[in-house]
């Protein structure tokens, strides 16, 4: 299936120096994809000249005169920069010129612009941010990661539905398992919001596993873990901090003495395999779920490899019509499950 991805080339810490080469790398791997590079032509052209000759009509430059900076307030990005590369990128999805959009820019601005331009799907109150985390068994999808700090039980139900459809689209699993993050496995544990959310998830028809605890995320107990944005963001940042600390600690210990440096040489194959298995760059690409369009958020500090991974996930979601799958699943919900909470 041929698809087109719009890329906000100006977003992130590195801008076109990373986003453009990553786009070229992905086009070499996917012959049925075209990419629209959105941003300032004078900034993109030095990185894209050779790629334009290589890919011809599969690589298109689309001008945008403004940039959403990482420090820009959401209101400025939404109302004051209507010709930003981020806004133009999302507009292309709205117009049908692109099947998906990928940006490494300001997360709050991307969510606000995407929600304003694309709108939410029927039955979805709030879009959620979902990403992949490594586990003992492979990977798990966790949401929400910060878009919704205060949630009602119905919102957590919607996150479960969206997460399940995301795994179905990207991993091609018919009935992914869904867990509700809690302080214990028992139904009596947790606050009233989580308890009620558990009841709704049980009645939803999803493959609901039940409550899961924090350590279950890394065990790979379920395919999807649902939580509110406050908890999810803390989990994500704590995980990133722990991974960085372990990496630094290993380097320091192996460099401490001559004999530990020798041990490092012996252990090098295992260390390289470990790094490859848990390389955070391979998990880059968070989906903004619940929108009438496919939008993915790359980490702002992503290198070309990581940004290419985000493009891969966006392409897979677009090919499997993720928004349509979420909408179809929401349409099957009845009664209390269709209740919306603003």
């Amino acid at each position: 299936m041929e698809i087109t991805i719009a890329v906000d080339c100006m977003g992130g810490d590195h801008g076109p120096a990373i986003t453009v080469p990553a786009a070229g790398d992905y086009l070499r791997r996917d012959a049925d994809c075209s990419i629209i590079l959105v941003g300032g032509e004078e900034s993109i052209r030095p990185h894209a000249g050779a790629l334009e000759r290589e890919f011809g009509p599969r690589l298109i430059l689309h001008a945008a005169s403004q940039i959403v900076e990482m420090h820009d307030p959401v209101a400025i990005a939404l109302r004051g920069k209507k010709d930003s590369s981020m806004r133009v990128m999302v507009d292309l999805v709205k117009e049908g010129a692109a099947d998906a959009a990928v940006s490494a820019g300001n997360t709050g601005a991307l969510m606000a612009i995407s929600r304003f331009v694309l709108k939410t799907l029927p039955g979805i109150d709030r879009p959620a941010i979902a990403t992949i985390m490594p586990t003992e068994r492979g990977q798990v999808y966790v949401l929400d990661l910060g878009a919704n700090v205060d949630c009602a039980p119905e919102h957590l139900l919607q996150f479960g539905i969206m997460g399940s459809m995301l795994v179905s689209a990207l991993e091609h699993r018919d009935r992914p398992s869904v867990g509700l993050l809690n302080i214990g496995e028992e139904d009596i544990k947790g606050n009233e919001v989580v308890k009620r959310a558990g009841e709704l998830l049980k009645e939803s028809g999803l493959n609901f596993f039940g409550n899961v605890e924090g350590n279950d995320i890394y065990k790979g107990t379920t395919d999807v873990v649902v939580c509110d944005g406050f908890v999810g963001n803390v989990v994500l940042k704590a995980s990133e901090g722990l991974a960085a600390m372990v990496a630094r600690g290993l380097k320091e210990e192996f460099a401490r003495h001559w004999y530990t440096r020798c041990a490092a040489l012996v252990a090098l194959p295992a260390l390289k395999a470990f790094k490859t298995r848990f390389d955070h760059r391979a998990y880059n690409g968070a989906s903004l779920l619940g929108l009438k369009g496919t939008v993915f958020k790359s980490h702002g500090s992503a290198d070309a490899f990581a940004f290419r991974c985000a493009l891969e996930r966006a392409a897979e979601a677009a090919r499997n019509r993720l928004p349509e799958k979420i909408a179809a699943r929401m349409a099957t919900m009845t009664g209390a499950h269709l209740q919306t909470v603003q």
Side-chain angles (χ1 to χ4, degrees):
M1 175 183 173
E2 295 185 0
I3 60 165
T4 300
I5 302 176
V7 175
D8 169 17
C9 290
M10 313 306 292
D13 297 344
H14 310 293
I18 289 298
T19 55
V20 176
D25 190 15
Y26 183 68
L27 287 175
R28 294 185 189 99
R29 296 165 179 266
D30 188 344
D32 293 322
C33 181
S34 298
I35 289 181
I36 303 174
L37 302 176
V38 184
E41 185 173 351
E42 68 284 353
S43 299
I44 297 175
R45 185 71 66 183
H47 303 280
L51 296 177
E52 286 184 283
R53 292 189 292 273
E54 180 179 354
F55 298 109
R58 292 177 58 209
L59 189 71
I60 303 164
L61 269 61
H62 195 295
S65 61
Q66 297 173 304
I67 301 173
V68 173
E69 305 290 352
M70 298 301 282
H71 59 269
D72 279 345
V74 169
I76 296 297
L78 187 60
R79 301 186 183 92
K81 294 188 174 182
K82 296 183 180 180
D83 195 47
S84 68
S85 55
M86 184 181 289
R87 175 65 175 267
V88 172
M89 173 195 71
V90 178
D91 284 339
L92 289 170
V93 175
K94 173 69 173 180
E95 296 161 4
D99 301 292
V102 181
S103 173
N106 185 317
T107 303
L110 181 62
M111 176 62 84
I113 289 172
S114 299
R115 185 174 183 179
F116 177 78
V117 174
L118 299 174
K119 312 303 181 187
T120 55
L121 292 165
I124 299 296
D125 296 307
R126 305 175 184 177
I129 301 174
T131 197
I132 306 173
M133 298 176 68
T135 74
E136 295 175 10
R137 302 178 184 180
Q139 56 193 30
V140 62
Y141 290 74
V142 183
L143 73 162
D144 177 41
L145 294 177
N148 306 281
V149 174
D150 297 308
C151 293
E154 292 78 12
H155 296 140
L156 297 178
L157 168 64
Q158 293 168 18
F159 298 166
I161 294 169
M162 293 190 290
S164 179
M165 295 302 100
L166 177 64
V167 175
S168 293
L170 298 187
E171 307 294 336
H172 308 291
R173 298 178 190 169
D174 291 334
R175 284 179 55 78
S177 57
V178 178
L180 179 63
L181 191 59
N182 202 345
I183 58 173
E185 297 179 358
E186 301 84 359
D187 291 342
I188 61 172
K189 292 291 182 69
N191 57 33
E192 294 305 314
V193 170
V194 173
K195 289 178 185 177
R196 177 57 181 155
E199 295 172 358
L200 293 176
L201 285 163
K202 284 181 183 177
E203 301 165 1
S204 67
L206 297 173
N207 183 14
F208 181 53
F209 176 87
N211 291 334
V212 294
E213 298 181 76
N215 59 337
D216 286 302
I217 295 174
Y218 306 103
K219 289 179 182 178
T221 302
T222 58
D223 299 310
V224 179
V225 171
V226 172
C227 56
D228 65 50
F230 184 95
V231 172
N233 194 266
V234 171
V235 167
L236 179 64
K237 297 298 174 60
S239 300
E240 291 175 344
L242 176 61
M245 183 188 71
V246 169
R248 287 194 300 268
L250 282 172
K251 288 180 181 180
E252 290 171 1
E253 293 305 320
F254 276 124
R256 193 172 295 278
H257 304 288
W258 68 266
Y259 52 84
T260 57
R261 288 193 287 271
C262 292
L265 290 175
V266 175
L268 191 58
L271 291 172
K272 285 184 175 180
F274 180 85
K275 181 180 179 181
T276 299
R277 180 179 174 186
F278 295 105
D279 187 351
H280 67 91
R281 300 177 304 161
Y283 300 92
N284 186 46
S287 177
L288 274 57
L289 296 174
L291 301 166
K292 293 179 181 178
T294 301
V295 180
F296 272 70
K297 170 67 173 68
S298 166
H299 202 290
S301 62
D303 62 9
F305 171 76
F307 197 83
R308 192 200 78 209
C309 290
L311 293 173
E312 289 174 353
R313 291 200 166 84
E316 189 70 10
R319 286 196 169 101
N320 286 277
R321 301 187 180 280
L322 178 58
E324 289 89 336
K325 286 190 173 184
I326 294 174
R329 188 67 181 84
M330 290 303 301
T332 67
M333 308 303 288
T334 59
H337 299 142
L338 280 178
Q339 179 181 351
T340 57
V341 180
Q342 300 302 327

